[in-house]
Amino acid sequence: QARLVESGGGSVQAGGSLRLSCVMFGYTGSSTRCISWFRQVSAKEREGVAAITTINDISGSTYYSNSAKGRFTISQDDAKNTVYLQMNSLKSEDTATYFCAARSGRTCGGSWDQSSYFNYWAQGTQVTVSS
């Protein structure tokens, strides 16, 4: 059974940086997949932050929310089955619990920010940005 494990959350001052990691363990599914980062504040709906498509185990297109563009970068180490979210110029409004999610067998396309599209989820990691 595949599972996603995150790391890298923590507390940082506004303007600082953090890098989140998402490792896929036990994944033997399709070589095509979409990995997305979501964030959630309390009981609010999860918000898509960034996503990356993998086709034939090779990283492809990336997607970003308007709030993430220019500050966050999603990348993947194909050999390590690990996806990263580098977050720079952090703001207090970036404070949230961050989740990585995977959809096997599909590219991201227009669904990259729809939480219902994903069939694997990590446990979540807290990011707190103080002003």
Side-chain angles (χ1 to χ4, degrees), residues 28 32 40-41 61 95 105:
T28 57
T32 296
Q40 186 174 27
V41 178
S61 301
T95 295

Side-chain angles (χ1 to χ4, degrees), residues 74-111:
I74 189 169
S75 62
Q76 180 168 230
D77 184 328
D78 298 325
K80 295 182 179 179
N81 265 0
T82 300
V83 174
Y84 303 99
L85 183 67
Q86 177 67 44
M87 304 187 293
N88 299 327
S89 302
L90 283 162
K91 306 174 181 179
S92 57
E93 51 262 45
D94 295 318
T95 295
T97 301
Y98 284 71
F99 301 85
C100 67
R103 174 63 191 258
S104 58
R106 299 283 181 91
T107 59
C108 294
S111 299

Side-chain angles (χ1 to χ4, degrees), residues 11-120:
S11 298
V12 65
Q13 289 192 328
S17 299
L18 283 174
R19 188 176 80 158
L20 306 183
S21 300
C22 176
V23 182
M24 295 174 281
F25 289 101
Y27 182 81
T28 57
S30 171
S31 60
T32 296
R33 57 189 178 271
C34 174
I35 307 294
S36 188
W37 287 95
F38 287 81
R39 65 186 183 188
Q40 186 174 27
V41 178
S42 300
K44 292 183 179 179
E45 187 175 348
R46 289 184 183 182
E47 172 194 11
V49 176
I52 186 166
T53 281
T54 300
I55 299 176
N56 293 331
D57 291 324
I58 297 173
S59 301
S61 301
T62 56
Y63 306 80
Y64 295 94
S65 67
N66 288 334
S67 62
K69 283 178 186 176
R71 299 188 300 126
F72 295 3
T73 302
I74 189 169
S75 62
Q76 180 168 230
D77 184 328
D78 298 325
K80 295 182 179 179
N81 265 0
T82 300
V83 174
Y84 303 99
L85 183 67
Q86 177 67 44
M87 304 187 293
N88 299 327
S89 302
L90 283 162
K91 306 174 181 179
S92 57
E93 51 262 45
D94 295 318
T95 295
T97 301
Y98 284 71
F99 301 85
C100 67
R103 174 63 191 258
S104 58
R106 299 283 181 91
T107 59
C108 294
S111 299
W112 74 269
D113 59 351
Q114 304 301 309
S115 58
S116 59
Y117 187 65
F118 295 86
N119 52 359
Y120 296 103

